[in-house]
Amino acid sequence: MTDSHDSNPAIENYLLEERKFEPSTDFKANALVSTANIYEDAETDYLEFWASKARELDWVKPFDKVLEWNPPFAKWFLNGTLNASYNCLDRHVAAGLKDRVAYYFEGEPGDSKSITYGELLTEVEKFATVLKSLGVKRGDIVAIYMPMILELPIAMLACARIGAAHSVVFGGFSSNALSDRINDAESKVVITADGGNRRGVVIPLKDNVDEALKSSPVVESVVVVKRIGDKHQITMEKNRDYWYHELMDKVTDATGPVEVDSENLLYLLYTSGTTAKPKGIMHTTGGYLTQVAYTHKIVFDLHPNEDIYWCAADIGWVTGHSYIVYGPLANGATSIIYEGTPDFPDKDRWWSIIEKYKVSILYAAPTAIRTFMKWGTDYLKRHDLSSLRLLGSVGEPINPEAWMWYRENVGLEKCPIVDTWWQTETGAIMITPLPGVTTTKPGSATFPFPGIRAEIVDEQGQKVELGGGYLTLNRPWPSMLRGIYKDPERYQQTYWSKYNEKYFVGDGAKIDEDGYLWLLGRIDDVMNVSGHRVSTTEVESALVDHPSVAEAAVVGANDATTGQAIMAFVTLKSGELGTPEKGEELRNHVSTKIGAIAKPKMIIFTDDLPKTRSGKIMRRLLRDVAEGRNLGDTTTLTDPSVVEEIKRKAAANVTED
Ligand code: PRX
């Protein structure tokens, strides 16, 4: 076990947690699943279990084999053909649900609109025509860099409609990060907006695209949605940049869905790993859609003709792909899309949205919940939250206090909480309670979803029956990543080399005497900041890229609100001074290189970094310093006095927002 797991102070608290919450009789009475038989059914024949869920989709040609498993390469629902946009739109319209609202859109400045399944289909059909007119073909990968507006799911579904894949880049990433992703996927078309709204300020998305394209000559066309208008001027390059509305106005014919193989690439989504280069995670069509649709239905107990569902994530992350776009639309759900932040114009924005739309299911990250705890309950009390009937959590471990607060203040003690564990790589929820079945314990994600096999193992790969270890997944699942784009070796190495044929998750976990699983956070060099994955190595590379920096070491320190906070220890080149201004310059440099989510909370300048005799930076010590703990044994250090100096500097040298 690496040091980041050992030093997680939450571990012991988790295991002392004894509160239990059974599903209420009321909830059980209407729940889609209310007995534990589903687990046995799935275990009897897990392939048939998934096949039966796949058959809930509309296939053009039915699959003739459920799984082909050549570890670590999987194919699901072989020889079946289908189209994801058809399954999300056309089939609902054909079933008479044309007028059901697909999304209620709430813009940050207060504008709002809704779009029905029928209208969404028309927009997607038209935009698919636009993509074709720009030369996008089956198998191409289209880059999408947009705010949270309706044109974002429209663009994604239009790609799927013509058999192209999308690569959505979160709007908070910098032009550098965007350019890297465009180049890796060789995207010839980029879809963006003139800007997005965030806390009353414009995020200059198109300006960032212009900057990115200076190092991405592969791009031939840019489509720009007008979201901001006159408030923020942009430049449009002739014969390269086109306004979305102008292209859409010209469309006269609607593009139908093409038939694609079950294993056709649906999308790439880049995520941080333990090296500086993000990984292009590949998801394909049939298996992915099967698992996102089924988990979305069962985990959230979705009653599509009654529920108003809100996943408050950004579509730029996997949570949004699976549980704002594909899962909910495949199930014919009515969802909310909110453009902005929870504190604009005031700290009650979420609660006002819940009241306005009578949201019944809320899916959010623990960081948000802890932030609301800090702000206090007055903001909630201003609004009627009685429409809520189920709450979800995702993205990072939820501590029992936050879980209880969520239950009492948001769920008004009546809503079950589903703490769902999964990753970009797993595509869909893997460990979770079932709300009508599972007795929950605050802070535990409870049990693997039916059909999923998860195990905790020790360093040697032996199963741990009680206590802590590494989480592994021991059986293929339909929405599993199909690999890392252009890098099969890295796929094998990262996930499948530590334990033969067991997928290595990268998270520490514990199992208690009742068999409940408790997720404990990353055990590798990946930080989890506000539920977002950031690689320590990526931030270090960005820092060392600055002309003043000689060496940098980055650690994630526990943080009461954001889960982890980025702490950077930096040695400057000789002649450079570690002033507060230099600290600010470096923080901004990281933001420019990667994006604001990767901006260190604190930069600590030091003349040296603590290293072992073999020259390895001792991150455990740095984390201890960053978290203000007493330092243990430092005898393996070349120069133990370095740590004392760093401790002194860390105490004095705080650069924070
Ligand atoms: O460490 C786990 C944490 O988030 C990581 C995956 O991050 P990402 O690929 O960005 O996907 C986030 C949204 C699915 C995991 O390796 N994580 C996610 N959900 C939970 C969690 N940790 C504890 N409990 C969770 N419910």
Side-chain angles (χ1 to χ4, degrees), residues 220-291:
E220 292 165 6
S221 325
V222 179
V223 181
V224 187
V225 176
K226 190 177 262 183
R227 169 66 186 142
I228 300 297
D230 295 342
K231 222 168 75 186
H232 180 77
Q233 290 303 322
I234 58 164
T235 43
M236 296 288 279
E237 194 178 299
K238 207 157 181 264
N239 297 328
R240 188 197 72 180
D241 301 347
Y242 307 94
W243 284 108
Y244 177 95
H245 59 273
E246 289 180 1
L247 295 176
M248 289 289 267
D249 283 349
K250 284 193 211 130
V251 173
T252 49
D253 55 333
T255 293
V258 301
E259 178 181 351
V260 303
D261 188 84
S262 174
E263 282 299 335
N264 194 60
L265 186 68
L266 181 63
Y267 67 80
L268 285 187
L269 186 57
Y270 287 83
T271 187
S272 293
T274 52
T275 70
K277 192 176 178 298
K279 304 175 282 198
I281 301 299
M282 295 175 7
H283 283 295
T284 59
T285 309
Y288 174 80
L289 209 56
T290 297
Q291 196 173 332

Coordinates of all heavy atoms in Angstrom, one line a residue, residues 220-291:
E220 N -9.8 22.1 -39.4 CA -10.2 22.8 -40.6 C -11.4 23.7 -40.4 O -11.6 24.7 -41.1 CB -10.6 21.7 -41.7 CG -9.4 20.9 -42.2 CD -9.8 19.6 -42.9 OE1 -11.0 19.4 -43.2 OE2 -8.9 18.9 -43.2
S221 N -12.3 23.3 -39.5 CA -13.5 24.1 -39.3 C -13.8 24.2 -37.8 O -13.6 23.3 -37.0 CB -14.7 23.5 -39.9 OG -14.4 22.8 -41.1
V222 N -14.4 25.4 -37.5 CA -14.8 25.7 -36.1 C -16.2 26.2 -36.1 O -16.6 27.1 -36.9 CB -13.9 26.7 -35.4 CG1 -14.4 27.0 -34.0 CG2 -12.5 26.3 -35.4
V223 N -17.1 25.5 -35.4 CA -18.5 25.9 -35.3 C -18.7 26.6 -34.0 O -18.4 26.1 -32.9 CB -19.5 24.7 -35.4 CG1 -20.9 25.2 -35.4 CG2 -19.2 23.9 -36.7
V224 N -19.3 27.8 -34.1 CA -19.4 28.7 -32.9 C -20.9 29.0 -32.5 O -21.6 29.6 -33.3 CB -18.7 30.0 -33.1 CG1 -18.6 30.8 -31.8 CG2 -17.3 29.8 -33.6
V225 N -21.3 28.5 -31.3 CA -22.7 28.9 -30.9 C -22.6 30.3 -30.3 O -21.7 30.6 -29.5 CB -23.1 27.8 -29.8 CG1 -24.5 28.2 -29.3 CG2 -23.1 26.4 -30.4
K226 N -23.6 31.1 -30.6 CA -23.7 32.4 -30.0 C -24.4 32.3 -28.6 O -25.6 32.2 -28.6 CB -24.4 33.4 -30.9 CG -24.3 34.8 -30.4 CD -24.9 35.8 -31.4 CE -23.9 36.4 -32.3 NZ -24.4 37.4 -33.2
R227 N -23.6 32.3 -27.6 CA -24.2 32.2 -26.2 C -24.2 33.6 -25.6 O -25.1 34.0 -24.9 CB -23.5 31.2 -25.4 CG -23.8 31.2 -23.9 CD -25.3 30.8 -23.7 NE -25.6 30.9 -22.3 CZ -26.8 31.3 -21.9 NH1 -27.8 31.7 -22.7 NH2 -27.1 31.4 -20.6
I228 N -23.1 34.3 -25.8 CA -22.9 35.6 -25.1 C -23.3 36.8 -25.9 O -23.9 37.7 -25.4 CB -21.4 35.7 -24.8 CG1 -20.9 34.5 -23.9 CG2 -21.1 37.1 -24.1 CD1 -21.6 34.4 -22.6
G229 N -23.0 36.8 -27.2 CA -23.3 38.0 -28.1 C -22.5 39.2 -27.8 O -21.3 39.0 -27.6
D230 N -23.1 40.4 -27.9 CA -22.4 41.6 -27.9 C -21.4 41.8 -26.7 O -20.5 42.6 -26.7 CB -23.3 42.8 -27.9 CG -24.1 42.8 -29.3 OD1 -23.6 42.1 -30.2 OD2 -25.2 43.4 -29.4
K231 N -21.8 41.2 -25.6 CA -21.0 41.4 -24.3 C -19.5 41.0 -24.5 O -18.7 41.4 -23.7 CB -21.6 40.6 -23.2 CG -21.7 41.4 -21.9 CD -22.6 40.7 -20.9 CE -21.9 39.5 -20.3 NZ -22.8 38.7 -19.4
H232 N -19.3 40.1 -25.4 CA -17.9 39.6 -25.6 C -17.6 39.4 -27.1 O -18.1 38.5 -27.7 CB -17.7 38.3 -24.8 CG -16.3 37.8 -24.9 ND1 -15.2 38.4 -24.2 CD2 -15.7 36.8 -25.7 CE1 -14.1 37.7 -24.6 NE2 -14.4 36.8 -25.5
Q233 N -16.8 40.3 -27.6 CA -16.5 40.3 -29.1 C -15.5 39.1 -29.3 O -14.5 39.0 -28.6 CB -15.9 41.6 -29.5 CG -16.9 42.7 -29.5 CD -18.1 42.4 -30.4 OE1 -18.0 41.8 -31.5 NE2 -19.3 42.8 -30.0
I234 N -15.7 38.4 -30.4 CA -14.7 37.4 -30.8 C -14.4 37.7 -32.3 O -15.0 38.4 -33.0 CB -15.3 36.0 -30.7 CG1 -16.6 35.8 -31.5 CG2 -15.6 35.6 -29.2 CD1 -17.0 34.4 -31.8
T235 N -13.3 37.0 -32.7 CA -13.0 37.1 -34.1 C -13.3 35.8 -34.8 O -13.1 34.7 -34.3 CB -11.5 37.4 -34.4 OG1 -10.7 36.6 -33.5 CG2 -11.1 38.9 -34.1
M236 N -13.9 36.0 -36.0 CA -14.3 34.8 -36.8 C -13.3 34.8 -38.0 O -13.3 35.7 -38.8 CB -15.7 34.9 -37.3 CG -16.7 34.9 -36.1 SD -16.9 33.3 -35.3 CE -18.0 32.5 -36.5
E237 N -12.6 33.7 -38.2 CA -11.7 33.6 -39.3 C -12.4 33.0 -40.5 O -13.1 32.0 -40.4 CB -10.5 32.7 -38.9 CG -9.4 32.8 -39.9 CD -8.2 31.9 -39.5 OE1 -7.6 32.1 -38.4 OE2 -7.9 31.0 -40.3
K238 N -12.3 33.7 -41.6 CA -13.0 33.4 -42.8 C -12.6 32.0 -43.3 O -11.5 31.6 -43.2 CB -12.6 34.4 -43.9 CG -13.7 34.5 -44.9 CD -13.6 35.9 -45.7 CE -14.8 35.9 -46.6 NZ -14.5 35.5 -48.0
N239 N -13.6 31.3 -43.8 CA -13.4 29.9 -44.3 C -12.9 28.9 -43.3 O -12.5 27.8 -43.6 CB -12.4 29.9 -45.5 CG -13.0 30.6 -46.7 OD1 -14.2 30.7 -46.8 ND2 -12.1 31.3 -47.4
R240 N -13.0 29.3 -42.0 CA -12.6 28.3 -40.9 C -13.7 28.3 -39.9 O -14.1 27.3 -39.4 CB -11.3 28.7 -40.3 CG -10.8 27.6 -39.3 CD -9.7 28.1 -38.4 NE -10.2 29.0 -37.4 CZ -9.4 29.6 -36.5 NH1 -8.1 29.3 -36.4 NH2 -9.9 30.4 -35.6
D241 N -14.1 29.6 -39.5 CA -15.1 29.7 -38.4 C -16.5 30.0 -38.9 O -16.7 30.9 -39.7 CB -14.7 30.8 -37.4 CG -13.3 30.6 -36.9 OD1 -12.7 29.5 -37.0 OD2 -12.7 31.6 -36.3
Y242 N -17.5 29.2 -38.4 CA -18.9 29.4 -38.8 C -19.8 29.5 -37.6 O -19.6 28.8 -36.6 CB -19.3 28.2 -39.6 CG -18.4 27.9 -40.8 CD1 -17.3 26.9 -40.6 CD2 -18.5 28.5 -42.0 CE1 -16.5 26.6 -41.6 CE2 -17.6 28.2 -43.1 CZ -16.6 27.2 -42.9 OH -15.7 26.9 -43.9
W243 N -20.7 30.4 -37.7 CA -21.7 30.5 -36.7 C -22.7 29.3 -36.7 O -23.2 29.0 -37.8 CB -22.6 31.8 -36.8 CG -21.8 33.0 -36.3 CD1 -21.3 34.0 -37.1 CD2 -21.5 33.4 -35.0 NE1 -20.7 35.0 -36.3 CE2 -20.8 34.6 -35.0 CE3 -21.7 32.8 -33.7 CZ2 -20.3 35.2 -33.9 CZ3 -21.2 33.4 -32.6 CH2 -20.5 34.6 -32.7
Y244 N -22.9 28.7 -35.6 CA -23.8 27.6 -35.5 C -25.2 27.9 -36.1 O -25.7 27.2 -36.9 CB -23.9 27.2 -34.0 CG -24.9 26.1 -33.6 CD1 -24.4 24.8 -33.5 CD2 -26.2 26.4 -33.4 CE1 -25.3 23.8 -33.1 CE2 -27.1 25.4 -33.0 CZ -26.6 24.1 -32.9 OH -27.5 23.1 -32.5
H245 N -25.8 29.1 -35.7 CA -27.1 29.4 -36.1 C -27.2 29.6 -37.6 O -28.2 29.3 -38.2 CB -27.7 30.6 -35.3 CG -26.9 31.8 -35.4 ND1 -25.9 32.2 -34.6 CD2 -27.0 32.9 -36.3 CE1 -25.4 33.3 -34.9 NE2 -26.1 33.8 -36.0
E246 N -26.1 30.2 -38.2 CA -26.2 30.4 -39.6 C -26.1 29.1 -40.4 O -26.9 28.9 -41.4 CB -25.0 31.3 -40.1 CG -25.2 32.7 -39.6 CD -24.1 33.7 -40.0 OE1 -23.1 33.2 -40.7 OE2 -24.2 34.9 -39.6
L247 N -25.3 28.1 -39.9 CA -25.2 26.8 -40.6 C -26.6 26.1 -40.4 O -27.1 25.5 -41.4 CB -24.1 26.0 -40.0 CG -22.7 26.5 -40.2 CD1 -21.7 25.6 -39.4 CD2 -22.3 26.5 -41.7
M248 N -27.2 26.2 -39.2 CA -28.4 25.5 -39.0 C -29.5 26.1 -39.8 O -30.4 25.3 -40.3 CB -28.8 25.6 -37.5 CG -27.9 24.8 -36.6 SD -28.2 23.0 -36.7 CE -29.4 22.7 -35.5
D249 N -29.5 27.4 -40.0 CA -30.6 28.0 -40.8 C -30.6 27.5 -42.2 O -31.6 27.6 -42.9 CB -30.4 29.6 -40.8 CG -30.9 30.2 -39.5 OD1 -31.5 29.4 -38.7 OD2 -30.6 31.4 -39.2
K250 N -29.4 27.2 -42.7 CA -29.3 26.7 -44.1 C -29.8 25.3 -44.4 O -29.9 24.9 -45.5 CB -27.9 26.8 -44.6 CG -27.4 28.3 -44.9 CD -26.1 28.2 -45.6 CE -25.3 29.5 -45.2 NZ -23.9 29.2 -44.8
V251 N -29.9 24.5 -43.2 CA -30.2 23.1 -43.4 C -31.6 22.9 -43.9 O -32.6 23.4 -43.4 CB -30.0 22.4 -42.1 CG1 -30.5 20.9 -42.2 CG2 -28.6 22.4 -41.6
T252 N -31.7 22.0 -45.0 CA -33.0 21.7 -45.5 C -33.4 20.3 -45.3 O -34.5 19.9 -45.3 CB -33.1 22.1 -47.0 OG1 -32.0 21.5 -47.6 CG2 -33.1 23.6 -47.3
D253 N -32.4 19.4 -45.1 CA -32.7 18.0 -45.0 C -32.2 17.5 -43.6 O -31.2 17.9 -43.1 CB -32.1 17.2 -46.1 CG -30.7 17.3 -46.2 OD1 -30.2 18.4 -45.8 OD2 -30.0 16.4 -46.7
A254 N -33.0 16.5 -43.1 CA -32.8 15.9 -41.8 C -31.9 14.7 -42.0 O -32.3 13.8 -42.9 CB -34.1 15.6 -41.1
T255 N -30.9 14.5 -41.2 CA -30.0 13.3 -41.3 C -30.5 12.2 -40.4 O -30.7 12.4 -39.2 CB -28.6 13.7 -41.0 OG1 -28.1 14.5 -42.0 CG2 -27.7 12.4 -40.9
G256 N -30.7 11.0 -40.9 CA -31.2 9.9 -40.1 C -30.0 9.2 -39.4 O -28.9 9.5 -39.7
P257 N -30.3 8.3 -38.5 CA -29.3 7.6 -37.8 C -28.6 6.6 -38.7 O -29.3 5.8 -39.3 CB -30.0 7.0 -36.6 CG -31.4 6.8 -37.1 CD -31.7 7.9 -38.1
V258 N -27.3 6.5 -38.6 CA -26.6 5.4 -39.3 C -26.5 4.2 -38.4 O -26.5 4.3 -37.2 CB -25.2 5.8 -39.9 CG1 -25.3 7.0 -40.8 CG2 -24.2 6.0 -38.7
E259 N -26.4 3.0 -39.0 CA -26.3 1.8 -38.3 C -24.8 1.6 -38.0 O -24.0 1.6 -38.9 CB -26.8 0.7 -39.2 CG -26.8 -0.7 -38.7 CD -27.4 -1.7 -39.8 OE1 -27.9 -1.2 -40.8 OE2 -27.2 -2.9 -39.5
V260 N -24.5 1.4 -36.7 CA -23.1 1.2 -36.4 C -22.9 -0.1 -35.6 O -23.9 -0.6 -34.9 CB -22.4 2.3 -35.6 CG1 -22.5 3.7 -36.3 CG2 -23.0 2.5 -34.2
D261 N -21.8 -0.7 -35.6 CA -21.5 -1.9 -34.9 C -21.5 -1.5 -33.4 O -21.2 -0.4 -33.0 CB -20.1 -2.4 -35.2 CG -19.8 -3.7 -34.6 OD1 -20.2 -4.7 -35.2 OD2 -19.2 -3.8 -33.5
S262 N -21.9 -2.5 -32.6 CA -21.9 -2.4 -31.1 C -20.6 -1.8 -30.6 O -20.6 -1.0 -29.6 CB -22.2 -3.7 -30.5 OG -22.2 -3.7 -29.1
E263 N -19.5 -2.2 -31.2 CA -18.2 -1.8 -30.7 C -17.7 -0.5 -31.4 O -16.5 -0.2 -31.3 CB -17.2 -2.9 -30.9 CG -17.3 -4.0 -29.8 CD -17.1 -3.5 -28.4 OE1 -16.4 -2.4 -28.2 OE2 -17.7 -4.0 -27.4
N264 N -18.6 0.2 -32.1 CA -18.1 1.4 -32.8 C -17.8 2.5 -31.7 O -18.6 2.6 -30.7 CB -19.3 2.0 -33.6 CG -18.8 3.1 -34.6 OD1 -17.9 2.8 -35.4 ND2 -19.4 4.2 -34.4
L265 N -16.7 3.2 -31.9 CA -16.3 4.2 -30.9 C -17.4 5.3 -30.7 O -17.8 5.9 -31.7 CB -15.0 4.9 -31.3 CG -14.4 5.9 -30.3 CD1 -13.9 5.2 -29.1 CD2 -13.2 6.6 -31.0
L266 N -17.9 5.5 -29.5 CA -18.9 6.5 -29.3 C -18.2 7.8 -28.9 O -18.6 8.9 -29.3 CB -19.9 6.0 -28.2 CG -21.0 7.0 -27.8 CD1 -22.0 7.2 -29.0 CD2 -21.8 6.4 -26.6
Y267 N -17.2 7.7 -28.0 CA -16.5 8.9 -27.6 C -15.1 8.6 -27.0 O -14.9 7.5 -26.6 CB -17.3 9.8 -26.7 CG -17.6 9.3 -25.3 CD1 -16.7 9.4 -24.3 CD2 -18.9 8.8 -25.0 CE1 -17.0 9.0 -23.0 CE2 -19.2 8.4 -23.7 CZ -18.2 8.5 -22.7 OH -18.5 8.1 -21.4
L268 N -14.3 9.7 -27.0 CA -13.1 9.7 -26.2 C -13.3 10.7 -25.1 O -13.9 11.7 -25.3 CB -11.9 10.2 -27.1 CG -11.3 9.4 -28.2 CD1 -10.1 10.2 -28.7 CD2 -10.9 8.0 -27.6
L269 N -12.8 10.4 -24.0 CA -12.8 11.4 -22.9 C -11.4 11.3 -22.2 O -11.1 10.2 -21.7 CB -13.9 11.1 -21.9 CG -14.2 12.1 -20.8 CD1 -14.4 13.5 -21.4 CD2 -15.4 11.7 -20.0
Y270 N -10.8 12.4 -22.2 CA -9.4 12.4 -21.7 C -9.4 12.6 -20.2 O -10.2 13.3 -19.6 CB -8.6 13.5 -22.3 CG -8.2 13.2 -23.7 CD1 -9.1 13.5 -24.8 CD2 -7.0 12.6 -24.0 CE1 -8.8 13.1 -26.1 CE2 -6.7 12.2 -25.3 CZ -7.6 12.5 -26.3 OH -7.2 12.1 -27.6
T271 N -8.6 11.8 -19.5 CA -8.6 11.9 -18.0 C -7.1 11.8 -17.6 O -6.3 11.3 -18.3 CB -9.4 10.7 -17.4 OG1 -9.5 11.0 -16.0 CG2 -8.9 9.4 -17.6
S272 N -6.9 12.3 -16.4 CA -5.5 12.4 -15.9 C -5.1 11.1 -15.3 O -5.8 10.4 -14.6 CB -5.4 13.4 -14.8 OG -5.6 14.7 -15.3
G273 N -3.9 10.7 -15.7 CA -3.3 9.5 -15.1 C -2.1 9.9 -14.3 O -2.0 11.0 -13.8
T274 N -1.2 8.9 -14.1 CA 0.0 9.2 -13.2 C 1.1 9.8 -14.0 O 2.2 10.1 -13.4 CB 0.4 7.9 -12.5 OG1 0.6 6.9 -13.5 CG2 -0.6 7.5 -11.5
T275 N 1.0 10.0 -15.3 CA 2.0 10.7 -16.0 C 1.5 12.0 -16.5 O 0.3 12.3 -16.3 CB 2.5 9.9 -17.3 OG1 1.4 9.9 -18.2 CG2 2.8 8.4 -16.9
A276 N 2.4 12.8 -17.2 CA 2.0 14.2 -17.6 C 1.0 14.1 -18.7 O 0.2 15.1 -19.0 CB 3.2 15.0 -17.9
K277 N 0.9 13.0 -19.5 CA 0.0 13.0 -20.6 C -1.3 12.4 -20.3 O -1.4 11.2 -19.9 CB 0.7 12.1 -21.7 CG 0.1 12.2 -23.1 CD 1.0 11.4 -24.0 CE 0.5 11.3 -25.5 NZ -0.9 10.8 -25.6
P278 N -2.4 13.1 -20.5 CA -3.7 12.6 -20.2 C -4.0 11.4 -21.1 O -3.5 11.3 -22.3 CB -4.7 13.8 -20.5 CG -3.8 15.0 -20.5 CD -2.5 14.5 -21.0
K279 N -4.9 10.5 -20.6 CA -5.2 9.3 -21.4 C -6.6 9.5 -22.1 O -7.5 9.9 -21.5 CB -5.4 8.1 -20.4 CG -4.2 7.9 -19.5 CD -4.5 6.8 -18.5 CE -5.3 7.3 -17.3 NZ -5.2 6.4 -16.2
G280 N -6.6 9.2 -23.4 CA -7.9 9.2 -24.1 C -8.7 7.9 -23.9 O -8.4 6.9 -24.5
I281 N -9.6 8.0 -23.0 CA -10.4 6.8 -22.6 C -11.4 6.5 -23.7 O -12.2 7.4 -24.1 CB -11.1 7.0 -21.2 CG1 -10.0 7.2 -20.1 CG2 -12.0 5.8 -20.9 CD1 -9.0 6.2 -19.9
M282 N -11.5 5.3 -24.2 CA -12.4 5.0 -25.3 C -13.6 4.3 -24.8 O -13.5 3.3 -24.1 CB -11.6 4.0 -26.3 CG -10.5 4.7 -26.9 SD -9.4 3.7 -28.0 CE -10.1 2.2 -28.2
H283 N -14.8 4.8 -25.2 CA -16.0 4.1 -24.9 C -16.8 3.8 -26.2 O -16.8 4.7 -27.1 CB -16.9 4.9 -24.0 CG -16.5 4.8 -22.5 ND1 -16.5 3.7 -21.8 CD2 -15.9 5.8 -21.7 CE1 -16.0 3.9 -20.6 NE2 -15.7 5.1 -20.5
T284 N -17.3 2.6 -26.3 CA -18.0 2.2 -27.5 C -19.5 2.2 -27.3 O -20.0 2.6 -26.2 CB -17.5 0.9 -28.0 OG1 -17.7 -0.1 -27.0 CG2 -16.0 0.9 -28.3
T285 N -20.3 1.8 -28.3 CA -21.7 2.1 -28.3 C -22.6 1.1 -27.5 O -23.3 1.6 -26.5 CB -22.2 2.2 -29.8 OG1 -21.3 3.0 -30.5 CG2 -23.6 2.7 -29.8
G286 N -22.7 -0.1 -27.9 CA -23.7 -1.0 -27.3 C -23.6 -1.3 -25.8 O -24.5 -1.1 -25.1
G287 N -22.4 -1.7 -25.4 CA -22.2 -2.0 -24.0 C -22.3 -0.8 -23.1 O -22.9 -0.8 -22.0
Y288 N -21.7 0.3 -23.6 CA -21.8 1.6 -22.8 C -23.3 2.0 -22.6 O -23.7 2.3 -21.5 CB -21.0 2.7 -23.5 CG -21.1 4.0 -22.9 CD1 -20.4 4.4 -21.8 CD2 -22.0 5.0 -23.4 CE1 -20.5 5.6 -21.2 CE2 -22.2 6.2 -22.8 CZ -21.4 6.6 -21.7 OH -21.5 7.8 -21.1
L289 N -24.0 2.0 -23.7 CA -25.4 2.5 -23.6 C -26.2 1.6 -22.7 O -27.1 2.0 -21.9 CB -26.0 2.6 -25.0 CG -27.1 3.6 -25.2 CD1 -26.6 5.0 -24.9 CD2 -27.5 3.6 -26.7
T290 N -26.0 0.3 -22.8 CA -26.7 -0.7 -22.0 C -26.5 -0.4 -20.5 O -27.4 -0.3 -19.7 CB -26.1 -2.1 -22.3 OG1 -26.4 -2.5 -23.6 CG2 -26.8 -3.2 -21.3
Q291 N -25.2 -0.2 -20.1 CA -25.0 -0.1 -18.7 C -25.4 1.3 -18.1 O -25.9 1.4 -17.0 CB -23.5 -0.4 -18.3 CG -23.3 -0.6 -16.8 CD -22.0 -1.1 -16.5 OE1 -21.3 -1.8 -17.3 NE2 -21.5 -0.8 -15.2

